[in-house]
Amino acid sequence: MDDVDLSAVSPRAWRLLRVAAGYEQRGVERAMDGILQAHVSMLESGSRGLTGDRRRLLFELYADELTDEQVRVLVAHF
């Protein structure tokens, strides 16, 4: 899924990716060093983004739990 422009992923799509991957915000915090629940909340509300590296790690965490088609649909339509 290297072809996804993560800077263009909407806040709503980030939330849907997380939920579809089976993570709660606190679960993301436990699964990833350096990512706090507040970071996830701000990304999903659109009030603040993450650095490119952190965004890529978060995306990969979610994508590992989903099919490529699920990821593409969520990113493209939300």
Side-chain angles (χ1 to χ4, degrees):
M1 299 293 327
D2 292 332
D3 59 333
V4 175
D5 177 5
L6 298 181
S7 65
V9 177
S10 73
R12 185 175 184 194
W14 278 111
R15 182 178 57 83
L16 292 172
L17 286 166
R18 176 181 54 78
V19 171
Y23 284 97
E24 295 180 8
Q25 288 183 353
R26 293 265 183 222
V28 173
E29 184 176 57
R30 289 187 295 274
M32 294 188 66
D33 290 336
I35 301 272
L36 301 175
Q37 179 270 330
H39 296 139
V40 175
S41 181
M42 288 186 288
L43 180 66
E44 292 177 5
S45 71
S47 63
R48 188 168 177 186
L50 297 174
T51 64
D53 290 341
R54 283 180 157 180
R55 198 176 295 192
R56 174 61 54 193
L57 290 172
L58 185 61
F59 181 77
E60 289 172 0
L61 177 73
Y62 298 160
D64 283 348
E65 302 298 325
L66 303 169
T67 67
D68 287 353
E69 182 179 357
Q70 287 172 311
V71 172
R72 280 189 174 79
V73 166
L74 292 172
V75 169
H77 296 287
F78 297 98

